[in-house]
Amino acid sequence: LVVVKIGGASGVDPDGVCADVAALVRAGRRVVLVHGGSAAVDDLAARLGVPQRHLVSPSGVTTRHTDAATLRVLQLALLGQVRPAVLAALGRGGVRAVGLSGLDANLLRAERRAAVRAVVDGRRVLVRDDHSGRITSVDGGLLRLLLADGVTPVVSPPAVAEDGLPVNANADRVAAAVAVELGAQALVFLTAAPGLLADPADDASLLAEHELGEDTPVAGGGMAVKLVAAREALRGGVRSVVVSDGRVASPVGRALDGGGTRLR
Ligand code: ADP
């Protein structure tokens, strides 16, 4: 079983990823797709005039400030735009795919963050109106039921909090939680970079392998979250965790054949 996370930033072509996933599924591999959609959320928020803020944690991890209006936009964009595009692309490839957010049958349960520590203009602040959470459990039974019937699950944020309300959850960490729950052999993060770069500005500085630790290259933006998610997956027993290019032909096959960066 392979869990594939499709990057949400612009650049990654969902059609290419889905064609590749379809080929794997036809060859008998079981795949769970997880998607984010940061570019789609930003785009819809701009059209609707909902201002967007990002929070930087004291350790440098950037996340979206999900206020109430942004949570609504996020659901519209992910579940109304990104997900249908993924499902349609898989369908064209002959894959029976079912889309599930964390709210469907309470697939993804999360602990709501009471307050988010963040750095704004160099000062540490506590943000209290952030509707986001940390994944606490994944209903693996539901996913296994679908997989056993030859259905490919497509999993999207949001998750559901203790109070039964939706909360944003980082899609990389959702993918890690799904991979751990299902005992996946591999977790592939497809993104708009060749993999983990020693120098983020130099595509030629791709690291074929990287041991997560103190000497991790300064990974700005969403890459830092991916490394956190990768660590969660490795600790949870996922043997192969790869960050690889989502913009190339056959991106999943390449990632499984040693492309990108293998994290340890
Ligand atoms: P996604 O939407 O695919 O989940 P993000 O766009 O949030 O991912 O994060 C991936 C981005 O992080 C890359 O496209 C790249 O611009 C940036 N990045 C920062 N540091 C690094 C690094 N060391 N190696 C590779 N990419 C990096």
Side-chain angles (χ1 to χ4, degrees):
L1 179 106
V2 184
V3 174
V4 177
K5 192 270 176 168
I6 313 180
S10 50
V12 176
D13 167 25
D15 285 6
V17 177
C18 289
D20 208 16
V21 167
L24 283 173
V25 171
R26 284 195 303 266
R29 293 293 288 260
R30 293 183 307 155
V31 181
V32 177
L33 266 176
V34 178
H35 71 85
S38 52
V41 174
D42 288 341
D43 184 62
L44 188 59
R47 284 165 189 262
L48 296 175
V50 175
Q52 295 297 290
R53 268 210 301 162
H54 287 84
L55 305 173
V56 183
S57 79
S59 62
V61 174
T62 304
T63 53
R64 185 181 299 277
H65 177 204
T66 312
D67 59 12
T70 293
L71 182 63
R72 287 195 289 272
V73 172
L74 183 133
Q75 295 188 82
L76 284 170
L78 297 191
L79 308 180
Q81 239 182 307
V82 179
R83 180 169 77 184
V86 170
L87 291 172
L90 289 171
R92 289 194 296 277
V95 174
R96 290 164 66 222
V98 164
L100 297 166
S101 83
L103 300 170
D104 288 285
N106 292 324
L107 176 68
L108 308 171
R109 291 189 186 271
E111 179 184 35
R112 181 185 285 276
R113 288 203 178 90
V116 179
R117 267 191 298 272
V119 180
V120 175
D121 297 332
R123 284 180 47 236
R124 290 190 175 209
V125 295
L126 270 182
V127 178
R128 298 187 187 277
D129 66 336
D130 185 67
H131 297 276
S132 69
R134 194 181 52 81
I135 300 294
T136 50
S137 69
V138 176
D139 184 352
L142 176 60
L143 297 176
R144 280 188 282 267
L145 198 69
L146 293 168
L147 289 162
D149 201 37
V151 174
T152 298
V154 175
V155 177
S156 334
V160 59
E162 311 87 322
D163 53 13
L165 296 172
V167 281
N168 188 13
N170 176 268
D172 292 325
R173 297 179 75 177
V174 168
V178 168
V180 168
E181 168 61 32
L182 295 177
Q185 278 143 331
L187 168 61
V188 174
F189 295 106
L190 295 176
T191 192
L196 183 63
L197 305 170
D199 171 4
D202 178 10
D203 273 11
S205 69
L206 175 69
L207 299 164
E209 279 197 359
H210 178 71
E211 195 157 330
L212 293 169
E214 320 79 57
D215 62 340
T216 291
V218 184
M223 189 55 72
V225 186
K226 263 179 242 309
L227 299 183
V228 171
R231 191 188 292 265
E232 289 168 351
L234 290 165
R235 284 194 180 146
V238 180
R239 257 171 289 157
S240 177
V241 180
V242 178
V243 178
S244 192
D245 208 325
R247 306 164 297 180
V248 299
S250 194
V252 185
R254 264 178 66 147
L256 295 175
D257 287 343
T261 305
R262 171 113 187 238
L263 299 167
R264 292 181 188 282

